[in-house]
mmCIF file of all heavy atoms in Angstrom:
data_model
loop_
_atom_site.group_PDB
_atom_site.id
_atom_site.type_symbol
_atom_site.label_atom_id
_atom_site.label_comp_id
_atom_site.label_asym_id
_atom_site.label_seq_id
_atom_site.Cartn_x
_atom_site.Cartn_y
_atom_site.Cartn_z
ATOM 1 N N PHE A 256 -22.143 2.559 -11.407
ATOM 2 C CA PHE A 256 -23.437 2.660 -12.077
ATOM 3 C C PHE A 256 -23.653 4.062 -12.654
ATOM 4 O O PHE A 256 -24.738 4.646 -12.535
ATOM 5 C CB PHE A 256 -24.580 2.292 -11.117
ATOM 6 C CG PHE A 256 -24.492 0.888 -10.600
ATOM 7 C CD1 PHE A 256 -24.308 0.654 -9.247
ATOM 8 C CD2 PHE A 256 -24.580 -0.205 -11.459
ATOM 9 C CE1 PHE A 256 -24.218 -0.647 -8.764
ATOM 10 C CE2 PHE A 256 -24.478 -1.506 -10.984
ATOM 11 C CZ PHE A 256 -24.304 -1.728 -9.630
ATOM 12 N N GLY A 257 -22.603 4.601 -13.252
ATOM 13 C CA GLY A 257 -22.718 5.882 -13.939
ATOM 14 C C GLY A 257 -22.625 7.103 -13.053
ATOM 15 O O GLY A 257 -22.725 8.232 -13.547
ATOM 16 N N VAL A 258 -22.429 6.917 -11.752
ATOM 17 C CA VAL A 258 -22.338 8.039 -10.818
ATOM 18 C C VAL A 258 -20.884 8.201 -10.380
ATOM 19 O O VAL A 258 -20.228 7.231 -9.998
ATOM 20 C CB VAL A 258 -23.245 7.834 -9.588
ATOM 21 C CG1 VAL A 258 -23.128 9.031 -8.629
ATOM 22 C CG2 VAL A 258 -24.697 7.657 -10.030
ATOM 23 N N ASP A 259 -20.393 9.428 -10.416
ATOM 24 C CA ASP A 259 -18.992 9.705 -10.081
ATOM 25 C C ASP A 259 -18.764 9.734 -8.578
ATOM 26 O O ASP A 259 -19.612 10.213 -7.811
ATOM 27 C CB ASP A 259 -18.555 11.049 -10.671
ATOM 28 C CG ASP A 259 -18.547 11.048 -12.187
ATOM 29 O OD1 ASP A 259 -18.345 9.976 -12.772
ATOM 30 O OD2 ASP A 259 -18.747 12.126 -12.788
ATOM 31 N N ILE A 260 -17.609 9.222 -8.174
ATOM 32 C CA ILE A 260 -17.176 9.277 -6.779
ATOM 33 C C ILE A 260 -15.664 9.080 -6.773
ATOM 34 O O ILE A 260 -15.105 8.515 -7.727
ATOM 35 C CB ILE A 260 -17.875 8.195 -5.923
ATOM 36 C CG1 ILE A 260 -17.581 8.393 -4.428
ATOM 37 C CG2 ILE A 260 -17.489 6.795 -6.395
ATOM 38 C CD1 ILE A 260 -18.399 7.490 -3.510
ATOM 39 N N GLN A 261 -15.013 9.532 -5.733
ATOM 40 C CA GLN A 261 -13.565 9.378 -5.654
ATOM 41 C C GLN A 261 -13.168 8.290 -4.660
ATOM 42 O O GLN A 261 -13.966 7.855 -3.830
ATOM 43 C CB GLN A 261 -12.920 10.710 -5.251
ATOM 44 C CG GLN A 261 -12.983 11.784 -6.331
ATOM 45 C CD GLN A 261 -12.197 13.017 -5.940
ATOM 46 O OE1 GLN A 261 -12.399 13.578 -4.862
ATOM 47 N NE2 GLN A 261 -11.293 13.452 -6.819
ATOM 48 N N GLY A 262 -11.917 7.859 -4.765
ATOM 49 C CA GLY A 262 -11.356 6.897 -3.827
ATOM 50 C C GLY A 262 -9.849 7.042 -3.794
ATOM 51 O O GLY A 262 -9.228 7.354 -4.819
ATOM 52 N N ARG A 263 -9.268 6.816 -2.620
ATOM 53 C CA ARG A 263 -7.812 6.949 -2.487
ATOM 54 C C ARG A 263 -7.134 5.616 -2.759
ATOM 55 O O ARG A 263 -7.523 4.574 -2.228
ATOM 56 C CB ARG A 263 -7.447 7.450 -1.088
ATOM 57 C CG ARG A 263 -5.973 7.903 -0.985
ATOM 58 C CD ARG A 263 -5.701 8.618 0.307
ATOM 59 N NE ARG A 263 -6.488 9.824 0.470
ATOM 60 C CZ ARG A 263 -6.218 11.003 -0.124
ATOM 61 N NH1 ARG A 263 -5.175 11.090 -0.942
ATOM 62 N NH2 ARG A 263 -6.985 12.037 0.104
ATOM 63 N N ASP A 264 -6.113 5.649 -3.611
ATOM 64 C CA ASP A 264 -5.403 4.442 -4.004
ATOM 65 C C ASP A 264 -4.756 3.762 -2.791
ATOM 66 O O ASP A 264 -4.207 4.432 -1.915
ATOM 67 C CB ASP A 264 -4.329 4.792 -5.032
ATOM 68 C CG ASP A 264 -3.781 3.558 -5.719
ATOM 69 O OD1 ASP A 264 -2.846 2.934 -5.166
ATOM 70 O OD2 ASP A 264 -4.284 3.221 -6.793
ATOM 71 N N CYS A 265 -4.833 2.429 -2.748
ATOM 72 C CA CYS A 265 -4.307 1.668 -1.617
ATOM 73 C C CYS A 265 -2.918 1.098 -1.876
ATOM 74 O O CYS A 265 -2.394 0.330 -1.048
ATOM 75 C CB CYS A 265 -5.276 0.546 -1.257
ATOM 76 S SG CYS A 265 -6.841 1.127 -0.574
ATOM 77 N N GLY A 266 -2.314 1.435 -3.007
ATOM 78 C CA GLY A 266 -0.932 1.018 -3.237
ATOM 79 C C GLY A 266 -0.778 -0.069 -4.280
ATOM 80 O O GLY A 266 -1.730 -0.758 -4.663
ATOM 81 N N ASP A 267 0.477 -0.235 -4.736
ATOM 82 C CA ASP A 267 0.779 -1.168 -5.825
ATOM 83 C C ASP A 267 0.678 -2.627 -5.401
ATOM 84 O O ASP A 267 0.286 -3.480 -6.191
ATOM 85 C CB ASP A 267 2.181 -0.892 -6.366
ATOM 86 C CG ASP A 267 2.279 0.449 -7.078
ATOM 87 O OD1 ASP A 267 1.229 0.969 -7.519
ATOM 88 O OD2 ASP A 267 3.399 0.974 -7.191
ATOM 89 N N GLU A 268 1.051 -2.919 -4.156
ATOM 90 C CA GLU A 268 1.100 -4.317 -3.733
ATOM 91 C C GLU A 268 -0.278 -4.970 -3.767
ATOM 92 O O GLU A 268 -0.451 -6.071 -4.310
ATOM 93 C CB GLU A 268 1.710 -4.431 -2.333
ATOM 94 C CG GLU A 268 1.936 -5.874 -1.899
ATOM 95 C CD GLU A 268 2.547 -5.986 -0.504
ATOM 96 O OE1 GLU A 268 2.656 -4.954 0.204
ATOM 97 O OE2 GLU A 268 2.921 -7.117 -0.123
ATOM 98 N N VAL A 269 -1.267 -4.313 -3.196
ATOM 99 C CA VAL A 269 -2.610 -4.892 -3.185
ATOM 100 C C VAL A 269 -3.223 -4.851 -4.581
ATOM 101 O O VAL A 269 -4.005 -5.738 -4.952
ATOM 102 C CB VAL A 269 -3.513 -4.188 -2.140
ATOM 103 C CG1 VAL A 269 -3.845 -2.758 -2.564
ATOM 104 C CG2 VAL A 269 -4.792 -4.985 -1.903
ATOM 105 N N ALA A 270 -2.869 -3.855 -5.369
ATOM 106 C CA ALA A 270 -3.359 -3.790 -6.748
ATOM 107 C C ALA A 270 -2.871 -5.004 -7.536
ATOM 108 O O ALA A 270 -3.635 -5.660 -8.262
ATOM 109 C CB ALA A 270 -2.895 -2.494 -7.410
#
Side-chain angles (χ1 to χ4, degrees):
F256 299 116
V258 180
D259 295 332
I260 189 171
Q261 290 187 307
R263 193 170 299 282
D264 193 275
C265 292
D267 292 338
E268 187 180 8
V269 69

